[in-house]
Amino acid sequence: MEAEKSSENISYDPPKAAYWWTAGIFAIVYAVIYISLVVYIHFAANGSGILGLADTHAYVLYAFVFLFFFVAMYIYIVVSRRELLYSLKRVGAIMSLFTIVVVINIVLMAFSAYLICVALSAMLILPFTKKRDAFVLNIFSCLVTLFVLIATLEHNEFPAVAFTLIAGLIGGAVATYSFPSGMTRVVSLLRSFVTGCVTIVVYFVLLSTYRLSVAPFVDKIMYIGISVSGELLLTAAIVPVVEWVFNLTSDFKLMELINHKAPLIKRLIKEAPGTFNHCLAVANFAEICADAIGEDPYLARACAYYHDVGKLNNVMYFTENQAGYNPHDEILPEVSAEIIRKHTVDGYELCKKHHIPEEVARATIEHQGTLPIMYFYNKAKSLTDGDVDINEYRYYGEIPTGKMGAIIMICDSSEAAIRAMDNPTGEKVDKLLKAMIDDRLKNGQFDNCAITMKDLNAIRLAIVGAYGGLYHKRIKYNNGSGGGTNV
């Protein structure tokens, strides 16, 4: 975390090693699933498969088909979801869940094709990433499962192949898009229940239409019911384990982090109430801004809550916690700057000590970037005739590596600046924000993230729109006794 980081030669591309590590994760997943298929075919498969190939030829074909699926998934990740490469543990978690689902389905095939959990991938993956990732990976899990069915089922069971694909696509879409992204665990269970009901209805329609009778559905209802119940139970059991093992920020985890009883939040409330109130205001801005550009508002709120926890190490040296006395008046500007600029790394260390997920912890070292603390820099220049190295007055931080870091950076500085303005108006606030964003662009603070000018404009307009609700003038109302009540 060098203060003197240059913005030259920086792009928002992930490090090259991330591509190789991701390829390694995919290779391990490929091997595990392929070995599971071979073991299943050798020991448990009931049929020779629709293709009817000899073992040697079949295994070669399976290897190439699986390779095709995994290359397609890898291309999807590195092209369409490149930001995931900044968090390899998230890629590892997602692909681990994908592997678990496929292996579970391969095992269930030994009993019945209708036991397959067609929407389980979507339900397990959604809490840890974007909706489209959950939907796409659920399609891939259905395709992999579908091919295993083709390789092992007899010809007379062919309808199960088509039914599994259709039920998987519809069930995955319902699991992914039927509820908002931000959810409590209760709502997650409700989503699983709704997905299960839709899956049962889909199977009923397909099986009844296939034979123009409800008898096929009645024959399979026990297996379908077990599958649907299993999806609900597995989601409830596996998601918390993955949260803990990978220390990831699911919506459930984020809800717990912003609870005012969380350890670091309790400390902020008790030891630095001024900083806590600032964090609340930043959180309100950040949530609105994240929603405006399609980012996770729950993650934005959590990042805003924790971005200034480093101030707990030197509470009284920050303006919002002072009540008239300012200790900076009695110390040299270089000492003041050292205390102020250090709160970023102090915050990161506190977050790691309290096992705060990396996505949230990064807000502590990115919200000020590598900007200089101009007040103390100018003060130092006024006290000496010599040159003052501006790099000694830069924050110990890193420039944002994602859109969330940029959101917190803008919202943090905006909240403080707006609060310090005399008689702020919407026009003044808009002008201030334009100057602030331009300054950060010129200083290369957004060179390492994929935020666009369109996003920055949307963020600015969102803050201006929110400004009226958060910083309205208080109006005096006559209370009938000659006094007034502020509202």
Side-chain angles (χ1 to χ4, degrees), residues 330-343:
E330 301 176 0
I331 57 179
L332 294 172
E334 54 265 37
V335 178
S336 294
E338 182 66 21
I339 294 171
I340 299 298
R341 68 181 185 153
K342 201 181 171 196
H343 86 271

Side-chain angles (χ1 to χ4, degrees), residues 55-72:
D55 284 351
T56 303
H57 296 105
Y59 291 151
V60 173
L61 176 63
Y62 303 156
F64 275 104
V65 172
F66 277 14
L67 182 62
F68 170 79
F69 287 144
F70 279 88
V71 168

